[in-house]
Amino acid sequence: MYTLKYHEIINLNVQEILKMKQEQLKEIDDYVKNNDCDEKILEIERQCKEEINSNFYVEINLKEISIDQVKDQDFIHLFKIADEINLNFQIFVSGCEYKSGEERDWIDLLFKDSTIERFKKLNEILINNKRNPLLFIEEDITSSSKWELKHIIKSNDRVNGVCNLIKNYELTPFETIAFIYKIVTKTFEYNENEDNPNLARNIVGVLNSNYIVCVGYSSLIKAIIDKLDCKNLRCECNTVKFKEKDIDENECNCLLNSLDGSHMQNLVFVKDKKYKVEGVYILDATIDSKSNKLPSGKGFAYFMLPVEDVMHYSGYNVIQYEDSVDQILASFGIEAEYPEIPPFVTKYKDKSRPIPYDILETVIKKVLKIIFYIRNKKELENRLDMEMRISRINALYGFDENAKNYIYQETKNYEYKKNR
């Protein structure tokens, strides 16, 4: 809201920047003049004009300019202009979750170590010159979610911590996703923030608070997998729509209403030679996360469900989140440019088969020993039995009959081996 774009003003002088601010003021005056504004709107417009006259806000949008293009000397140039026009100076950073790449194989810019180092340097320049530090925003400066660099660094450190453990233990792709899944489900308990919903959905918000919902779970798992950058482990966030709703074109809030009943999960592509696992699977960390009733979570009940079988389940549609929005907009004749279903789903879903329980047991046992530092054999068996027992009870949900029969037989074989 009424920021000046960094890449548009960096080569301008004081007079040119003041002219742009005058154009912002004129835009408000023209709006008030040409529209029938009530007192509430007039007050909002008055406040906007006051903001423009009091502040020199600059926005670095990483969708429009690379962080490497932001030069140290340019910051000094902005300081001089701020001093000359005698306005409160603040630099905002947006577009940090910019996605690029045909298959959306990307790493959130906030979690790239090279980007973090550049932010540190720019922030240091601001502080040394007695300026306000960088503020990170999601959409615009009216957003209730604004983060300081220390919050970004803390989030990055926590993601790095998980990635370093995975590398230190030399986990395979299948072991890696099991490790990440258990770390996330044991650490976080579903907790919405009604005053600031984004806090529980934005990764930085989640990792700096006790708030998390399905979008937060899914985004966090994806962020960790993305940062590992393993070609045999790919992850996307997807929405499950349990019930399609009719859209009433007469309702101004129909777009939001049509998303009711949606829930976000993860789709992962895994190729693991050691365990002979290859395919696309669904993870639902939200359902398996810890709660008041189950402080340890539900085990691996909704872990690695074959995408092909779940897609066939009556009334249970797995669709890309962007595609669900695209479908809604299309009903109004609006065309939105969103990617299709991730290519790995189409390419590998036919190979996705329920994981044999003896393989699942082996992987989960290894993960539990690492995460909970279990050295006692009996303690490990008790913990494993709890994780696997709950998984067997819940795993049939969402599958077609063929898959149910397959899992039922695998369960019998697994229990037979355990009791021999």
Side-chain angles (χ1 to χ4, degrees):
M1 176 182 175
Y2 298 113
T3 54
L4 296 175
K5 300 290 186 180
Y6 178 91
H7 64 285
E8 293 177 353
I9 70 164
I10 196 56
N11 295 316
L12 301 183
N13 58 36
V14 174
Q15 289 71 30
E16 290 169 324
I17 289 176
L18 286 175
K19 182 180 178 181
M20 293 182 72
K21 292 179 75 65
Q22 287 300 320
E23 289 173 353
Q24 290 179 336
L25 293 169
K26 185 177 183 302
E27 182 182 331
I28 295 175
D29 289 336
D30 289 344
Y31 176 82
V32 172
K33 180 180 178 180
N34 298 322
N35 292 275
D36 185 15
C37 301
D38 59 23
E39 288 299 323
K40 184 176 181 180
I41 294 178
L42 288 173
E43 175 60 22
I44 291 173
E45 299 302 329
R46 187 196 64 77
Q47 291 175 4
C48 288
K49 291 180 68 174
E50 186 176 320
E51 284 285 315
I52 295 171
N53 284 319
S54 303
N55 302 300
F56 179 26
Y57 286 160
V58 179
E59 180 182 350
I60 299 174
N61 190 325
L62 298 181
K63 295 180 182 179
E64 300 166 331
I65 182 172
S66 165
I67 191 63
D68 296 327
Q69 294 176 284
V70 180
K71 307 301 182 184
D72 297 2
Q73 60 267 27
D74 292 338
F75 266 38
I76 304 300
H77 170 66
L78 291 177
F79 299 159
K80 292 179 179 178
I81 291 177
D83 288 340
E84 190 165 342
I85 61 180
N86 195 28
L87 297 180
N88 179 46
F89 180 68
Q90 177 73 65
I91 292 184
F92 296 90
V93 181
S94 66
C96 299
E97 294 185 352
Y98 180 49
K99 307 174 182 63
S100 62
E102 292 182 2
E103 296 190 9
R104 287 181 295 169
D105 294 340
W106 62 282
I107 299 176
D108 190 320
L109 292 176
L110 291 180
F111 296 97
K112 290 185 70 172
D113 293 331
S114 59
T115 305
I116 292 288
E117 289 307 309
R118 186 62 189 139
F119 284 144
K120 286 181 180 178
K121 175 62 176 176
L122 295 174
N123 207 52
E124 183 181 337
I125 294 172
L126 287 165
I127 294 171
N128 289 342
N129 285 271
K130 296 182 173 57
R131 310 291 170 168
N132 295 321
L134 292 172
L135 274 184
F136 296 81
I137 56 177
E138 290 186 89
E139 296 175 359
D140 59 51
I141 62 173
T142 63
S143 170
S144 56
S145 298
K146 295 185 180 72
W147 312 106
E148 295 179 29
L149 183 57
K150 64 182 180 181
H151 300 125
I152 307 297
I153 293 172
K154 179 180 177 180
S155 302
N156 188 55
D157 288 347
R158 292 187 71 177
V159 170
N160 275 339
V162 177
C163 291
N164 290 338
L165 282 172
I166 291 167
K167 293 173 184 177
N168 291 342
Y169 285 103
E170 298 181 341
L171 301 182
T172 70
F174 188 16
E175 292 168 349
T176 294
I177 188 56
F179 183 86
I180 295 171
Y181 193 76
K182 193 60 194 176
I183 284 285
V184 171
T185 56
K186 90 174 188 66
T187 302
F188 296 98
E189 180 178 337
Y190 190 96
N191 190 11
E192 176 69 280
N193 186 308
E194 295 182 359
D195 295 328
N196 184 1
N198 285 335
L199 198 62
R201 291 164 174 79
N202 178 281
I203 302 173
V204 179
V206 168
L207 293 176
N208 282 274
S209 72
N210 293 318
Y211 296 103
I212 190 170
V213 294
C214 61
V215 179
Y217 283 107
S218 303
S219 300
L220 180 55
I221 287 175
K222 176 171 170 53
I224 299 171
I225 292 176
D226 283 349
K227 189 152 192 179
L228 289 168
D229 196 25
C230 171
K231 67 179 181 179
N232 291 323
L233 184 58
R234 286 289 184 255
C235 181
E236 290 292 346
C237 299
N238 277 260
T239 289
V240 180
K241 289 184 73 67
F242 293 95
K243 181 181 179 182
E244 295 288 348
K245 290 193 174 184
D246 294 330
I247 300 175
D248 184 353
E249 297 188 20
N250 295 319
E251 292 186 16
C252 63
N253 62 346
C254 57
L255 180 62
L256 294 175
N257 286 343
S258 64
L259 293 176
D260 288 349
S262 296
H263 169 63
M264 188 171 280
Q265 300 172 316
N266 290 109
L267 283 179
V268 294
F269 162 66
V270 181
K271 184 176 182 180
D272 194 311
K273 293 182 180 179
K274 178 179 178 179
Y275 297 103
K276 296 180 175 58
V277 172
E278 180 178 4
V280 182
Y281 296 84
I282 289 175
L283 312 174
D284 200 322
T286 308
I287 297 178
D288 279 344
S289 62
K290 69 177 185 177
S291 64
N292 291 332
K293 293 182 179 179
L294 286 171
S296 299
K298 293 182 179 178
F300 291 79
Y302 289 84
F303 173 72
M304 298 292 281
L305 308 183
V307 66
E308 180 76 355
D309 295 315
V310 178
M311 280 182 168
H312 287 166
Y313 182 76
S314 175
Y316 191 87
N317 300 315
V318 180
I319 57 178
Q320 186 67 19
Y321 179 73
E322 289 90 342
D323 290 343
S324 66
V325 177
D326 193 35
Q327 292 170 12
I328 296 162
L329 295 177
S331 68
F332 296 97
I334 302 172
E335 184 176 350
E337 295 182 1
Y338 291 110
E340 298 298 326
I341 291 289
F344 63 65
V345 176
T346 305
K347 185 175 181 181
Y348 295 104
K349 69 179 182 180
D350 292 338
K351 297 183 179 182
S352 313
R353 292 291 175 263
I355 309 297
Y357 271 91
D358 54 344
I359 293 178
L360 190 63
E361 179 193 52
T362 301
V363 172
I364 293 176
K365 182 185 290 187
K366 181 172 183 177
V367 166
L368 294 178
K369 286 176 68 176
I370 297 171
I371 293 176
F372 295 99
Y373 307 102
I374 300 175
R375 298 295 179 264
N376 181 279
K377 184 177 180 180
K378 184 175 181 180
E379 181 185 350
L380 178 60
E381 288 298 323
N382 290 338
R383 180 84 199 195
L384 179 68
D385 183 63
M386 179 187 71
E387 302 278 356
M388 296 292 287
R389 178 178 56 80
I390 297 177
S391 297
R392 292 198 300 276
I393 292 171
N394 290 277
L396 298 183
Y397 176 75
F399 287 88
D400 64 14
E401 287 304 316
N402 289 334
K404 286 181 180 179
N405 292 333
Y406 183 97
I407 292 178
Y408 178 71
Q409 189 60 48
E410 283 292 329
T411 302
K412 288 182 65 176
N413 292 340
Y414 171 78
E415 292 184 336
Y416 172 73
K417 292 175 184 177
K418 291 279 288 184
N419 295 324
R420 284 178 64 182

